[in-house]
Structures are given as structure tokens and as C-alpha cells.
């Protein structure tokens, strides 16, 4: 291990993903891996217990599929029903390389677009497999009764999404995530009925149990009774989504949190690329200080909506309908003529910020602080205008495509988007970082598997639209059911864990101690108050644009805020009852530590790539400038211990099937 | 604006509940209803009182986790989820004045026991789905998606029914506490598609048996359910359920395991 670097971290051994068979070409690796994997015979499967945490697209699909195979599955989730996981909120669609449009799509092209879209920071093997299994996902969902949009001939319809030039996105109006999740949920409930899956609703995983270096169970808190319980298993699968709520304001559901993956990280699981945060360009702008979350408008709107700001700052407070065509700047179409309004999310987001920073933003001015802490009033919004589409297609056709989104926008803002252009602004949406996994989706802790947004593997530094749903279902339906066999076959020989193992009691005690410590706080500030303060630090210094001095400032502020929390927070109610303040406090403690690691990761990566934009590293045109000679690796961080610096392990990214290029959408 | 909130407080499932009144000032009309509750909770915290427990998650109108009865109406005066209700929607009511009292209660139904304050247990709805609200297809066993074309109008009607978010407003609004709109939505969604045909008759029998066993009442065609449904699931889904049930009984369809 190296000396302390930058006063912040140490560097450890390099790591590698050793499970993908590199002796065969990329197109054969997944088949080869499945063939090489050990199998568990059907009669033995019921002897093996698998814990799945999360019931979204990855977790729900994994629990259902593993249940179908005959394993004993326990599925835990914090909502009151498995159907409410946040995958449900995804609006736009799911990609699949079906080439139903005969427009040149293929597995290789989906693979290529995803690697390029991720700014060459994703692992080739995983992305190729994702593209490979994508077509089977559509078949599976259709067979389950997912009511995808159809053409009059009865076949499936498609549309196009940002960052690509083919129509490969399958959709169900603006509720694709909901419909796919309902499909997975129904498959899951079928297994509950069959007795292979047991659901634990309103249960939160609060600790991972590791025995002899293997993941052997979890500690949970029953959110209704407060009861702490331990659950043992032969393997643990985390499908707990992303950690965007570290920013407080994001498009994530209120309950989305990092506790499950952060607890696993503290038990030894590496956390990869934590700084890769996707800022989504089409969200409804913030309207006040009381706001609890930000609402996303589907990226599919960019198919027909045209994005613009006034050419002159003095026009910004005019009614947009009174600004003539020649005074409008359709800046995406101007700068990126080949992709126009359909450039990838990181590029669309950054340009919206640039327009507002230039003083050409629209909508009400809101109070914000600049990097020096000075307050200023800024307009944070750009127009997403459908007037041209309504003229071309008619109001009814636009309504058939986007009606529910227009309704939602009107309900929230009070403005009618059929009459006045929508106002949008980027917001924190998806986190590409997550626990490090190998080709089998196994973390560096044997027996701990991580899927969907909770892992890091498939999107690199930026995620293309309609790819999150694809990855969740690919992992849950088609990857884990095959890779877990290999591990479980070993566990059949290994035998069950001793329920009296000291590690189990220790894990439980650490949870109880933490809760006791929280309940003993007698300060004056609420948990939400601290969370908002953390969010402001993160958005200011580790948000759309990061700078060396800002990130250092943020690390200091986060540490101070955490100390302040232990001095001045107070939790109302009691531990052994339904207590939402206590739930939030536990999650916030993990967010404090994760936030610091995000800043350290962002600081050490002195390049720009995808959703990580370091102001010091840009091309003369203001685009993200990578430094492949220095940073062509996954940054996998090891927990260094309480108040100890983390340890960086690098996994080199090797591109053999795709040529590394400066990304261009012009 | 200034408002009064009259809110149901109940410590847990076993204790008695009661209404409490709270006054709030400086409410802005573009605040969402749940953000007002957030603000109330900060106020209660400052006064050393325990915050009001309420459910919400996505706050985008799609997850179905939120839901309370506001002034006697499930999800409040406009057809939306509670999280998508804004103060301007309440203020549009001519009887709404500065200082008006807004009454907030949990979903009212024996099928939905109160867990705390405004939070209820809706797991009965999941058990209705477990009884048959799915198409039995194992992972990886599906035919090519284009091998079964689906008529567009059927697919669109299936989608309309599938839009149900399982929030439970239909139950809360029904004088009989019937979950027929919810159950009918699932039966319509799957029954309209070719993929759903093999299990169609067994599905309706199994799901209705479970519906009744959970203590939900029968449908008497009052239509309150569809009137409050935030996703506009049409009342016809109940007609379709009844038609399938009649067909199943005529065919002698028994409940299956």
C-alpha cells in the first residue's frame, strides 16, 4: 500500500475481473461462461437459501427467477408492496437490439453505443452481454403481458432515445418502468403463491453478515415494529438501486438510499466509481426552498420537443410566445447538428447549465450560492417547446405520445404545455457508480452479488436513456440465475452456517448500538435539516461541474456537518415503533460517509468523462476531455476503517473490440 | 395562506385514534400537499412533538405509496394521487378561505388496518394478485415477441387497465370498501391480451375468492372508485370482471391451487 496521496487516500493492489472467458471472442463469452458454470440439480435447489434485497426490476426479476428455479428465496424491501420499487417511475422506455425497424441495429451497435455513451469507462464484457440478452427481455415481458405500445399491424412499436441514431426503444406510453415492474412483480407474486419466495415488506437491511470471508446473511429492521432480526442464507443479492438522494434533491423516490450497499462496503465490498452521477437534462425546475424532490420529464420528449433559450438575455422574462423565431437559440441543434435535441444526457445537461450561466436561462429567478458562498439570483430553466410538433402532427397525435407527461407537468407547474413551452432544467437522476462486481455480478466478498443500479458495471461514466431498465431486467432475469448457480453449487458442499457464529451476534449488536446512539441524541435540529445541508454541499461542489478547490472544500464541510449532526441532531419517537425520523437518520449517516468518498473519487479523477465534468479538463469547445493515458480504469475503493483514509484499487479497462475515441456527437 | 389541519393521530394498530388540530401559516399555493405535511412535521419537531407519520415514496404520482382521505375525498378534490395535489388545487374551491380547515384521514376500510397515523397496511391487494394476477411464464421460456401480434385497440385497452397503481383509493372511496376496481383492472389487463387467455377463467375465480376472503365488500355499481381513481381506470373493468366470472361459473370453473 502506498503513502497517503493528496492527504486523502492510499493506493492498494490492482484488481481484475477474472470470470469472463477471454480465450473466446466477445460474442461467445457469455455462452462459454454459462457452459463452464457449475449447476445445482433441481432437487438440491430447495436446500439453498438466497436473500434478495430490493424488489425493483433487478431484485424483483432475480427473486422471481431464482424462485422459479427452485431456490428458497427471501425478498426484502422497504416499501409496503414489492410493486412500488423506484423502477416504477422510469418513464421513457427500454432498449433492445431487435432491429424491428430494419434501420441497421444489431447487438454490436447497441454494445458500441453504450460504451461510447458511457464515455469509455464501462467494461466491454459486461456491456456486450447486456446488448446480447436485451432481445430476450422483450420476449419475456411480452409473454408476461406487458402492454407495450403497438402498431396497427399488431407488432411492437419503437422510438428513438438520446445518444443513438436507430429506433430501438420499446415503450408503454410514458409509463414503461411501471409496466415492466408490474410484469416482474406479478412473476414475483406468482412465486410467493408457489411458496418459493417469502416477502418481507417494510423491512430495511441495516447490516451485512460476513462469516469466514463470505456473505452469509443480513440484519434487518422491521419498519413497523422496530424489531431487529438476522436472516442467514447461502448467498446475498443486493438490488437496492442508486444513491442519488445523497444530494437530497433528486429524481429518486424519497426512500431511495445507500444503506445496504454502504453497509456491505464497510464490511469489505469495494465501491466503484462513486463520483459518476448522471444529471438528467429534462426535469421540472426547482420552484422553492420547501421542495422535497425533483420530477423528471421523460427524455422521450426530446424526440419532438425543441429546446431553446432566447438569444438575448433581455428577452428572458418575456412570454416565450412573444419571442419571434429569429430571436430564439435552438442551441443543441446549432452545436450538434447530427444529434440535435437527442444528444446524450450529459451533453444536453451541461449545455443547459452553460446557457443559464450565460444569463440566458428562463423562468423565475431562484436564490443560489456561488462557489465563493455569495448569494445570487439565477434563472435556472430552458424551454422545451412543442409548438412546432403540434403544428406538424396535430394536437391529438402529440397528446397520444406524451399526453400523460403533459398532464403531469401541468399538475405540478400550473402551466399548460400545449399552450406555453415547458421549462426544464437538469437534476440528479441516476448513479452509475456502485459496488464493484465481476462478470458474474459477484462483489469481491464471495457470496455477495450486486445487480441493477446498485452495481457499477454497465454504464461507464454516463448512462444512455432507456438502458437502466434494460440492465435491471438483464441482470435479474438472465445473468444472476446463471451465475449464482456456480457459487451455490459450492455452497451445497460447504454446508450451512452455524447460527451461533459470533459474527452474527456482532452484526446485530452493531445495529442496536447505532440505534441506541441515535435515539440518545438530544440536539435541536431535525434529520431532514441535516440532509438538506448535505445536499446543498454536494450539488454545489460535486454536482454538474467539479473543481479541485471546490471538492476539497466539500470534504471539509461534510466532515464538519457530520460532527455537527452528532452534536445537534434529535430523533423524535421511540426505537421500537414505526419511526420515520429514525429510518432517515440511519440512512443519512451512511450518506455522510458516501458523500465524502464521492468527493475523494471526483478529486482524484483529474479528467472529465461522461457525468463527471472536471472544469480543469475540457476541450477548447467546452466538451468533456478524458485522459485515457492516466485514468483508463475503474476506481474501486476499499473501506479503510473508521476515520481512516480509503484505499484505491484500480481495475484497468481494456478495449479490444471498440476503439477508444474522443466522443463526438457533432 | 394560513390553514388549519385536522389530522388523524394513532400510535399503532392496537391503539385508539383521534383527531388533532394544527395551525400553519405562510403556505404557498404552488407547494404540494405532501410538502405541507413535511413543513408541518418540521413545525411539530420544533415544538417538541412527534411528527405525523405518512406514506409517500416517488412523489411523482406513479408508485402508489401515498394516499390519504382529504376533506372526505380519497386523494383530495382533484383526480390525482395525494403527492400530485398542490395547494393551488385546494385553493380553487370557492369555499376555501384563508384559515380554512383541511381534514386528513387514513384510507378507511377494514381491509386496510391503520399501522400509525396516516399509514395503512395494503398487503391484502398483493394477496389478491398472488391468487392469480399474473401470466404463468417461466424466465427464458418466452416465444419471440413478434410471434403473437396483439390488436392495437386491445393493447391500448389492456394498458388503460394496467395503469392501476394499487394505491387503494378505490377501496377507501367505496361505501362497501370493495376492491373490485383494483381486481377488475388486473383481470382486464391480462384478459384482454392473447397471452392471458389460458388462465383467464381460473384467474377470475381465484382472485375474487381472495378478494372476498380479505374482507373487501361486493360491488354495488356506485362508481365512487372510478371517480377517484388517479389513473382513470374505467368502471368497465368491473363489467369485464363480472362477465368473465359469469363465463367461468357457467363453464363450471373451480378455484385452482
Amino acid at each position: 500500500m502506498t503513502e497517503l496521496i493528496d492527504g486523502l487516500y492510499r493506493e492498494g493492489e490492482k484488481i481484475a475481473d477474472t470470470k469472463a472467458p477471454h480465450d473466446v471472442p466477445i460474442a461467445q463469452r457469455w455462452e462459454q461462461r454459462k457452459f463452464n458454470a457449475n449447476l445445482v440439480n433441481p432437487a438440491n435447489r430447495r436446500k439453498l437459501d438466497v436473500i434478495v434485497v430490493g424488489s425493483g426490476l433487478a431484485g424483483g426479476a432475480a427473486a422471481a427467477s431464482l424462485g422459479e428455479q427452485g431456490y428458497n428465496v427471501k425478498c426484502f424491501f422497504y416499501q409496503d408492496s414489492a410493486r412500488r420499487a423506484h423502477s416504477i417511475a422510469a418513464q421513457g422506455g427500454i432498449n433492445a437490439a431487435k432491429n424491428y425497424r430494419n434501420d441497421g441495429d444489431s447487438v454490436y451497435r447497441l454494445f458500441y453505443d453504450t460504451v461510447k455513451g458511457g464515455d469509455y469507462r464501462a467494461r466491454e464484457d459486461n456491456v456486450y452481454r447486456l446488448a446480447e440478452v436485451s432481445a430476450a427481455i422483450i420476449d419475456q415481458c411480452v409473454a408476461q403481458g406487458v402492454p407495450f405500445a403497438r402498431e396497427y399491424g399488431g407488432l411492437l412499436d419503437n422510438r428513438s432515445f438520446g445518444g443513438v441514431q436507430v429506433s430501438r426503444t420499446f415503450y408503454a406510453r410514458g409509463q414503461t418502468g411501471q409496466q415492466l415492474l408490474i410484469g416482474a412483480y406479478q412473476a414475483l407474486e406468482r412465486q410467493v403463491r408457489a411458496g418459493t419466495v417469502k416477502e418481507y415488506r417494510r423491512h430495511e437491511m441495516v447490516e451485512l453478515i460476513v462469516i469466514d470471508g463470505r456473505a452469509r446473511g443480513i440484519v434487518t429492521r422491521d419498519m413497523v415494529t422496530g424489531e431487529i432480526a438476522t436472516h442467514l442464507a447461502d448467498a446475498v443479492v443486493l438490488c437496492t438501486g442508486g444513491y442519488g438522494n445523497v444530494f437530497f434533491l433528486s429524481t429518486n423516490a424519497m426512500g431511495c438510499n445507500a444503506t445496504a450497499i454502504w453497509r456491505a462496503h464497510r464490511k469489505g465490498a469495494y465501491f466503484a466509481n462513486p463520483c459518476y452521477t448522471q444529471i438528467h437534462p429534462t426535469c421540472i425546475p426547482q420552484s422553492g426552498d420547501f421542495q422535497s424532490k425533483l420530477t423528471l420529464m421523460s427524455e422521450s420528449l426530446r424526440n419532438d420537443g425543441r429546446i431553446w433559450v432566447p438569444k438575448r438575455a433581455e428577452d428572458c422574462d418575456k412570454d416565450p410566445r412573444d419571442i419571434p423565431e429569429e430571436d430564439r437559440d435552438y442551441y443543441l441543434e446549432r452545436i450538434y447538428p447530427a444529434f440535435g435535441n437527442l444528444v446524450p444526457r450529459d451533453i444536453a445537461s451541461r449545455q443547459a447549465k452553460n446557457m443559464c450561466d450565460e444569463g440566458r436561462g428562463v423562468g423565475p429567478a431562484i436564490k443560489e450560492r456561488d462557489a465563493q458562498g455569495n448569494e445570487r439570483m439565477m434563472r435556472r430553466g430552458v424551454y422545451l417547446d412543442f409548438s412546432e410538433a403540434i403544428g406538424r402532427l396535430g394536437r391529438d397525435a402529440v397528446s397520444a405520445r406524451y399526453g400523460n407527461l403533459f398532464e403531469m407537468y401541468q399538475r405540478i407547474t400550473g402551466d399548460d404545455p400545449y399552450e406555453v413551452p415547458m421549462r426544464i432544467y437538469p437534476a440528479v437522476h441516476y448513479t452509475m457508480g456502485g459496488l464493484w462486481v465481476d462478470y458474474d455480478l459477484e462483489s469481491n466478498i464471495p457470496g455477495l452479488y450486486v445487480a441493477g443500479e446498485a452495481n457499477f458495471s454497465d454504464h461507464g461514466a454516463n448512462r444512455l436513456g432507456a438502458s437502466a431498465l434494460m440492465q435491471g431486467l438483464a441482470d435479474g432475469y438472465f445473468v444472476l440465475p446463471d451465475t449464482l448457480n456456480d457459487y451455490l453449487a459450492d455452497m451445497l458442499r460447504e454446508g450451512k452456517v452455524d447460527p451461533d457464529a459470533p459474527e452474527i451476534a456482532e452484526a446485530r449488536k452493531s445495529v442496536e448500538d447505532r440505534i441506541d446512539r441515535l435515539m440518545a441524541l438530544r440536539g435541536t435540529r431535525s434529520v431532514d435539516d441535516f440532509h438538506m445541508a448535505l445536499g446543498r454541499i454536494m450539488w454545489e461542489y460535486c454536482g454538474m461541474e467539479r473543481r479541485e478547490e471546490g471538492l476539497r472544500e466539500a470534504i471539509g464541510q461534510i466532515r464538519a456537518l457530520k460532527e455537527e449532526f452528532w452534536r445537534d441532531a434529535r430523533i423524535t419517537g421511540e426505537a421500537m415503533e414505526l419511526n420515520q425520523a429514525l429510518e432517515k437518520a440511519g440512512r443519512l449517516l451512511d450518506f455522510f460517509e458516501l458523500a465524502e468518498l464521492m468527493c475523494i473519487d471526483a478529486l482524484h479523477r483529474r479528467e472529465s468523462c461522461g457525468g463527471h465534468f472536471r472544469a480543469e479538463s475540457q476541450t477548447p469547445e467546452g466538451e468533456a476531455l478524458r485522459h485515457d493515458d492516466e485514468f483508463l480504469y475503474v476506481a474501486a475503493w476499499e473501506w479503510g476503517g473508521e476515520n481512516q483514509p480509503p484505499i484505491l484499487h484500480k481495475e484497468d479497462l481494456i478495449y479490444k473490440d471498440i476503439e477508444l475515441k474522443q466522443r463526438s456527437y457533432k | 395562506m394560513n390553514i388549519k389541519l385536522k389530522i388523524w393521530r394513532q400510535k399503532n394498530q392496537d391503539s385508539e385514534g383521534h383527531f388533532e388540530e394544527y395551525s400553519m401559516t405562510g403556505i404557498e399555493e404552488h407547494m404540494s400537499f405532501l410538502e405541507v405535511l413535511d413543513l408541518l412535521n418540521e413545525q411539530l419537531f420544533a415544538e417538541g412533538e412527534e411528527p405525523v407519520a405518512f406514506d409517500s415514496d416517488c412523489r411523482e404520482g406513479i408508485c402508489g405509496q401515498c394516499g390519504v382521505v382529504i376533506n372526505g375525498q380519497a386523494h383530495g378534490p382533484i383526480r390525482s394521487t395525494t403527492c400530485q395535489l398542490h395547494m393551488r388545487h385546494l385553493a380553487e374551491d370557492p369555499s376555501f378561505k384563508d384559515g380554512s380547515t383541511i381534514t386528513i384521514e387514513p384510507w378507511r376500510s377494514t381491509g386496510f388496518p391503520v399501522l400509525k397515523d396516516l399509514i395503512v397496511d395494503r398487503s391484502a391487494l398483493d394477496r389478491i394478485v398472488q391468487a392469480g394476477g399474473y401470466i404463468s411464464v417461466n424466465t427464458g421460456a418466452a416465444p419471440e415477441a413478434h410471434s403473437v401480434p396483439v390488436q392495437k385497440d386491445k393493447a391500448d385497452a389492456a394498458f388503460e387497465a394496467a395503469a392501476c397503481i394499487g394505491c387503494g383509493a378505490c377501496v377507501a372511496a367505496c361505501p362497501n370498501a370493495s376492491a373490485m376496481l383494483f381486481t377488475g383492472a388486473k383481470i382486464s389487463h391480462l384478459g384482454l391480451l392473447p397471452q392471458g387467455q389460458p388462465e383467464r377463467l381460473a384467474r377470475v375465480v381465484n382472485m375474487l375468492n381472495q378478494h372476498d376472503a380479505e374482507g373487501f365488500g361486493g360491488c354495488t355499481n356506485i362508481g365512487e372508485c372510478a371517480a377517484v381513481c388517479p389513473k382513470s381506470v374505467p368502471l368497465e373493468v368491473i363489467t369485464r370482471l363480472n362477465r368473465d366470472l359469469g363465463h367461468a361459473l357457467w363453464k363450471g370453473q373451480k378455484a385452482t391451487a
Side-chain angles (χ1 to χ4, degrees):
Chain A
M1 209 161 19
T2 59
E3 289 297 297
L4 207 57
I5 301 170
D6 277 348
L8 292 169
Y9 68 96
R10 296 176 202 282
E11 205 171 311
E13 299 291 305
K14 279 201 174 183
I15 48 170
D17 162 34
T18 54
K19 301 246 182 83
H22 283 115
D23 49 338
V24 295
I26 197 161
Q28 293 163 26
R29 279 178 204 155
W30 179 226
E31 281 307 312
Q32 184 70 31
R33 175 63 194 137
K34 284 197 280 185
F35 184 75
N36 291 344
N38 290 312
L39 299 179
V40 179
N41 96 46
N44 277 334
R45 292 178 199 159
R46 59 177 168 267
K47 297 176 191 160
L48 290 159
D49 305 311
V50 181
I51 284 172
V52 177
V53 187
S55 67
L57 288 181
S65 304
L66 293 164
E68 278 166 17
Q69 292 187 334
Y71 295 110
N72 248 326
V73 181
K74 288 181 175 181
C75 183
F76 297 83
F77 44 89
Y78 72 77
Q79 297 91 346
D80 76 327
S81 167
R83 65 179 295 151
R84 309 211 199 279
H86 193 51
S87 310
I88 205 157
Q91 295 167 343
I94 177 167
N95 287 333
K98 282 278 202 186
N99 197 28
Y100 282 165
R101 284 296 180 93
N102 193 27
D103 58 1
D105 201 10
S106 63
V107 167
Y108 188 85
R109 192 179 297 279
L110 176 51
F111 162 58
Y112 175 86
D113 286 344
T114 308
V115 169
K116 178 187 171 195
D119 217 351
Y120 304 91
R121 290 294 176 265
R123 191 192 281 152
E124 273 193 344
D125 294 328
N126 291 56
V127 180
Y128 192 90
R129 174 179 59 194
L130 177 68
E132 196 180 340
V133 304
S134 65
I137 297 172
I138 304 303
D139 301 340
Q140 180 67 27
C141 296
V142 165
Q144 287 172 341
V146 171
F148 283 118
R150 299 223 170 222
E151 294 172 343
Y152 283 101
L155 302 182
L156 295 158
D157 196 8
N158 301 104
R159 58 187 172 198
S160 184
F161 252 56
V164 302
Q165 291 175 308
V166 293
S167 276
R168 64 159 74 102
T169 306
F170 295 80
Y171 66 102
R173 273 183 225 168
Q175 301 170 14
T176 317
Q178 183 199 11
Q179 296 307 325
L180 295 173
L181 183 66
I182 294 295
Y185 156 78
Q186 288 174 184
L188 180 68
E189 298 308 299
R190 174 173 164 243
Q191 294 308 310
V192 172
R193 178 70 159 202
T196 62
V197 178
K198 189 166 184 327
E199 286 180 334
Y200 292 80
R201 61 189 70 237
R202 294 192 192 270
H203 274 67
E204 188 160 35
M205 168 181 161
V206 281
E207 195 53 272
L208 179 73
I209 298 172
V210 179
I211 300 173
D212 295 334
R214 290 179 192 270
R216 294 309 296 253
I218 61 172
V219 183
T220 59
R221 180 172 181 274
D222 180 330
M223 293 155 71
V224 177
T225 64
E227 190 200 347
I228 305 298
T230 53
H231 299 270
L232 303 178
D234 296 292
V236 176
V237 185
L238 303 184
C239 308
T240 53
Y243 48 87
N245 274 348
V246 68
F247 291 88
F248 187 74
L249 280 182
S250 81
T251 64
N252 289 4
M254 304 301 285
C256 290
N257 67 87
T259 286
I261 54 173
W262 193 256
R263 292 284 123 194
H265 173 62
R266 290 177 56 113
K267 282 284 168 81
Y270 295 168
F271 205 117
N273 299 335
C275 79
Y276 289 172
T277 306
Q278 175 163 79
I279 313 288
H280 196 294
T282 48
C283 298
I284 300 177
Q286 194 184 341
S287 60
D289 293 335
F290 48 80
Q291 202 147 345
S292 56
K293 73 157 282 165
L294 297 171
T295 300
L296 178 139
M297 301 300 293
S298 168
E299 185 180 9
S300 65
L301 292 167
R302 290 199 273 149
N303 269 308
D304 288 303
R306 296 180 71 197
I307 295 173
W308 62 276
V309 290
K311 280 185 180 162
R312 293 187 303 259
E314 54 271 31
D315 284 349
C316 288
D317 51 3
K318 277 193 189 159
D319 183 322
R321 290 168 295 187
D322 297 339
I323 301 175
E325 202 59 27
E326 62 270 20
D327 292 337
R328 302 176 175 189
D329 180 8
Y330 295 91
Y331 57 91
L332 290 176
E333 297 170 36
R334 169 172 58 83
I335 309 173
Y336 310 97
F339 284 76
N341 294 300
L342 286 172
V343 290
R345 293 174 174 180
D346 55 330
I347 290 172
S349 298
R350 203 167 303 126
Q351 290 298 357
K353 178 178 188 294
N354 290 345
M355 297 304 130
C356 297
D357 287 349
E358 276 177 26
R360 295 196 286 146
V362 296
I366 54 168
K367 196 164 38 173
E368 62 178 41
R369 263 180 300 177
D370 65 15
Q372 284 74 44
N374 304 315
E375 273 191 4
R376 61 181 175 190
M377 300 301 281
M378 290 290 284
R379 292 176 203 270
R380 292 286 175 195
V382 300
Y383 290 123
L384 177 60
D385 192 342
F386 281 84
S387 54
E388 192 262 350
I390 291 170
R392 175 166 46 90
L393 303 163
R395 189 185 158 115
D396 290 349
V398 170
S399 164
R401 282 184 202 173
Y402 311 111
N404 64 321
L405 299 168
F406 278 32
E407 238 173 71
M408 183 170 85
Y409 180 86
Q410 181 162 18
R411 200 168 287 153
I412 293 173
T413 63
D415 284 346
D416 178 3
Y418 291 104
E419 299 296 327
V420 191
M422 291 182 176
R423 283 180 294 108
I424 53 164
Y425 196 67
V428 170
H429 182 49
Y430 189 94
T431 44
M432 282 74 70
L435 291 188
W436 184 87
V437 289
D438 62 21
Y439 189 60
D440 278 4
L441 305 185
E442 190 176 18
S443 72
N444 59 306
I445 300 178
L448 180 71
Y449 288 74
V450 193
E453 192 179 353
N455 76 23
F456 87 100
S457 63
D458 291 12
H459 306 297
N462 174 47
R463 180 177 62 80
L464 284 183
S467 287
L469 303 183
M470 174 172 64
Q471 191 214 345
L473 289 179
D475 289 358
Y477 284 137
F478 297 110
V479 180
L480 283 171
D482 278 307
T483 60
L484 259 170
N485 282 329
D486 190 57
Y487 180 80
L488 290 169
D490 279 348
M491 295 311 284
L492 197 61
R493 288 184 282 274
E494 182 94 359
K496 294 286 168 199
V497 68
D498 174 8
D500 296 325
E503 290 90 341
I504 300 171
E506 271 165 37
R508 191 192 166 104
K509 179 147 193 323
S510 75
V511 169
E512 287 163 348
D513 288 350
R514 188 154 29 116
I515 291 175
D516 288 347
R517 213 176 143 205
L518 284 170
M519 294 309 299
L521 290 173
R522 285 285 170 271
T524 63
R525 283 172 70 182
S526 71
V527 178
D528 276 347
D529 196 29
F530 279 99
H531 194 169
M532 279 185 231
L534 177 67
R536 279 193 294 268
I537 298 170
M538 291 302 284
W539 180 243
E540 184 58 48
Y541 300 111
C542 196
M544 286 183 74
E545 188 175 307
R546 295 103 189 252
R547 288 168 191 275
E548 175 101 23
E549 69 273 16
L551 289 162
R552 289 190 184 279
E553 172 69 28
I555 292 167
Q557 289 192 15
I558 293 164
R559 288 176 181 169
L561 188 67
K562 188 178 162 191
E563 271 178 36
E564 177 93 15
F565 176 89
W566 284 116
R567 262 202 317 275
D568 199 21
R570 182 161 58 88
I571 318 291
T572 47
E574 292 156 37
M576 295 306 284
E577 63 176 13
L578 198 157
N579 187 335
Q580 294 177 320
L582 177 62
E583 290 160 20
K584 291 181 198 166
R587 295 169 193 162
L588 181 60
L589 285 183
D590 294 328
F591 277 141
F592 279 135
E593 292 173 357
L594 170 61
E596 187 176 327
L597 186 67
M598 287 170 76
C599 293
I600 293 174
D601 187 43
L603 185 69
H604 109 282
R605 188 169 285 276
R606 290 183 168 88
E607 66 163 348
S608 294
C609 55
H612 168 63
F613 191 78
R614 276 292 295 266
E616 302 91 342
S617 180
Q618 45 185 311
T619 64
E621 296 91 41
E623 306 288 350
L625 180 63
R626 298 195 320 262
H627 295 296
D628 292 336
D629 48 337
E630 286 179 86
F631 294 103
L632 194 58
Y633 59 79
V634 172
W637 297 90
E638 181 187 348
W639 174 248
E642 205 74 52
N643 298 318
Q644 293 296 313
I647 301 145
L648 172 63
H649 299 271
K650 295 176 180 171
E651 179 199 334
D652 288 331
L653 287 166
I654 300 155
Y655 289 96
K656 283 196 179 141
D657 288 85
I658 287 180
E659 186 199 351
L660 274 172
K661 278 195 282 211
Q662 184 63 34
R663 210 159 55 123
S664 168
Y665 289 90
K666 287 189 174 166
Chain B
M1 55 182 122
N2 302 325
I3 53 169
K4 285 202 182 77
L5 298 175
K6 188 176 157 196
I7 301 183
W8 185 258
R9 303 301 307 256
Q10 183 173 336
K11 190 163 172 54
N12 55 43
Q13 200 173 334
D14 304 322
S15 53
E16 294 265 311
H18 64 279
F19 279 105
E20 289 267 352
E21 262 195 36
Y22 307 100
S23 295
M24 297 186 75
T25 55
I27 300 297
E28 293 170 41
E29 68 162 19
H30 48 267
M31 291 172 101
S32 84
F33 189 77
L34 295 184
E35 281 160 4
V36 172
L37 288 184
D38 288 341
L39 214 62
L40 170 70
N41 280 345
E42 285 294 311
Q43 188 179 314
L44 290 176
F45 176 87
E47 290 162 5
E49 280 190 60
E50 205 186 332
V52 179
F54 66 94
D55 255 338
S56 78
D57 204 21
C58 77
R59 297 205 178 187
E60 292 186 15
I62 193 70
C63 78
Q65 177 110 347
C66 66
V68 289
V69 175
I70 300 162
N71 289 341
Q73 278 177 289
H75 289 307
I78 62 160
R79 189 196 270 224
S80 79
T81 54
T82 303
C83 65
Q84 298 290 281
L85 177 70
H86 283 68
M87 293 313 286
R88 84 177 84 86
H89 299 125
L90 284 164
E92 276 161 17
D93 182 344
S95 70
F96 189 92
K97 293 186 289 287
D98 206 39
S100 276
T101 300
I102 302 166
T103 308
I104 310 167
E105 303 160 79
W107 282 165
R108 298 176 296 195
S109 154
T110 47
F112 293 163
V114 174
L115 297 175
K116 182 171 185 167
D117 297 341
L118 303 172
I119 298 179
V120 299
D121 176 2
R122 281 168 291 196
S123 51
L125 299 183
D126 291 324
R127 290 188 290 273
I128 293 175
V129 172
Q130 284 158 20
Y134 44 76
I135 288 169
S136 297
V137 50
N138 280 357
T139 308
E144 212 291 326
H146 270 182
S147 62
V148 186
V150 182
Q151 224 174 296
K152 184 172 167 24
D153 54 349
K154 287 271 176 64
D156 288 349
F159 176 89
E160 250 181 53
C164 167
I165 56 174
C167 63
C170 48
V171 177
C174 177
N176 304 323
S178 175
M180 215 63 119
L181 193 75
F182 170 83
T183 312
K186 191 80 305 175
I187 279 166
S188 298
H189 160 209
L190 300 175
L192 280 161
L193 297 170
Q195 291 85 353
Q197 298 312 311
E199 295 170 294
R200 185 166 164 188
L201 299 186
R203 179 180 302 123
V204 69
V205 172
N206 291 338
M207 287 182 77
L208 263 190
N209 282 348
Q210 189 66 37
H211 172 277
D212 295 350
E214 294 291 349
F216 295 115
C219 172
T220 48
N221 293 314
I222 290 164
E224 280 295 321
C225 52
V228 300
C229 174
K231 296 297 153 182
S232 305
V233 170
L235 205 54
E236 289 86 72
V237 300
I238 300 181
T239 316
R240 209 172 278 114
L241 178 151
N242 285 327
R243 219 162 43 216
D244 275 7
L245 183 67
H247 193 188
L249 296 177
W250 181 61
K251 287 266 189 181
Q253 176 71 49
K254 298 271 189 307
T256 55

